[in-house]
Amino acid sequence: MMIFHTIEGRVVPAVTTDQMREIDRIAIEETGPNLFQMMENAGRNLAGLATDRLGADWQRAKVVVLAGTRGNGGGGICAARHLANRGADVTLVTADPAGLSEVTRWQYEIYRHTRGAITDDGSQLDADIILDALIGYGLRSAPRGRTAELIRWANASPAPLLALDVPSGVDSTSGETPGEMVHAKWTLTLALPKTGLLPRLTGELYLGDIGIPEETYRRAGIDLTSPFGAAFVIPLVATPL
């Protein structure tokens, strides 16, 4: 078991997959923010962290975004849009364009109006950074089909990988990896760290604020005071209990 804390030593509670699903449910059904708002916040934070990691030449970098069909994919597509809007060289690769959920489809349609590229075949792409938004905390079994192929391609690329929420292929509760998994150099987890985010799986770990109010956490039985201060993304440290 891991304890997660800020670089100043402030402990941040970790949650299981089921607890995070309940937090999302309470936010969407009771307190807000809604799914569109949380996805927008996640994507903007991911774009910002990507530019930070790329450094001063980020606009010259080739960014490839791998997006799944559900909420994690929507966050990745949103990040692709923010990067494209700022002049970055972005290419979006979706695991299943025909299977996008409603909210993720909305993000896809917005992205189509940017200067960013879209391709169904990322195998020949060059990249300076790859954003992994394929699965997130919703892993139910070993990645299969197109998703597994994209994970293998990303891992074979020399480009560093930045994962959104949970590296794809990692069980967010246990840290188990039943099949292919993304070998992330950095992970931006959302709202709260997940219990399965073991340091050997995540690379450098960051926490992103997606706008969930403290009352939402209280209704989910979690005592939390925001660790963010004036920031929207903060580094986290994980240490064994």
Side-chain angles (χ1 to χ4, degrees):
M1 182 176 178
M2 309 302 297
I3 294 179
F4 297 87
H5 55 88
T6 66
I7 57 175
E8 296 82 17
R10 181 174 180 174
V11 174
V12 181
V15 292
T16 65
T17 304
D18 287 344
Q19 286 176 308
M20 193 63 227
R21 285 199 178 101
E22 177 64 4
I23 291 166
D24 281 345
R25 185 200 66 77
I26 293 169
I28 293 167
E29 297 180 5
E30 300 177 15
T31 65
N34 63 35
L35 185 55
F36 291 91
Q37 291 171 307
M38 289 190 285
M39 188 177 289
E40 188 70 23
N41 290 336
R44 185 171 57 246
N45 287 341
L46 181 62
L49 184 57
T51 59
D52 286 346
R53 296 306 87 193
L54 286 166
D57 291 333
W58 64 269
Q59 283 186 307
R60 298 186 182 91
K62 295 180 180 179
V63 181
V64 174
V65 179
L66 307 180
T69 59
R70 304 192 67 78
N72 194 253
I77 296 170
C78 176
R81 185 216 327 145
H82 284 294
L83 290 166
N85 284 349
R86 284 154 180 78
D89 182 353
V90 185
T91 301
L92 172 66
V93 184
T94 53
D96 179 12
L100 300 179
S101 67
E102 180 183 1
V103 67
T104 302
R105 169 65 62 180
W106 181 251
Q107 291 287 353
Y108 182 82
E109 293 301 325
I110 301 172
Y111 176 77
R112 289 180 59 224
H113 296 282
T114 73
R115 61 191 295 175
I118 300 173
T119 182
D120 292 332
D121 180 12
S123 61
Q124 302 303 314
L125 291 176
D126 292 325
D128 294 300
I129 191 171
I130 299 170
L131 308 190
D132 161 37
L134 288 167
I135 300 175
Y137 76 68
L139 183 74
R140 298 183 184 276
S141 61
R144 296 177 293 177
R146 177 72 169 145
T147 299
E149 291 175 4
L150 289 173
I151 292 173
R152 286 192 291 270
W153 172 82
N155 287 335
S157 169
L161 276 68
L162 168 55
L164 180 60
D165 201 24
V166 178
S168 291
V170 174
D171 184 294
S172 63
T173 294
S174 66
E176 294 177 354
T177 55
E180 304 284 352
M181 62 158 286
V182 160
H183 300 305
K185 182 173 183 178
W186 312 284
T187 297
L188 173 64
T189 198
L190 303 172
L192 288 174
K194 317 307 183 285
T195 56
L197 291 176
L198 309 178
R200 63 181 174 81
L201 303 174
T202 64
E204 294 179 19
L205 183 61
Y206 296 84
L207 182 65
D209 179 13
I210 55 173
I212 296 176
E214 292 177 7
E215 174 63 19
T216 308
Y217 296 113
R218 281 194 287 270
R219 293 189 188 190
I222 297 168
D223 183 16
L224 176 72
T225 301
S226 173
F228 290 102
F232 291 93
V233 172
I234 58 173
L236 282 185
V237 179
T239 55
L241 180 63

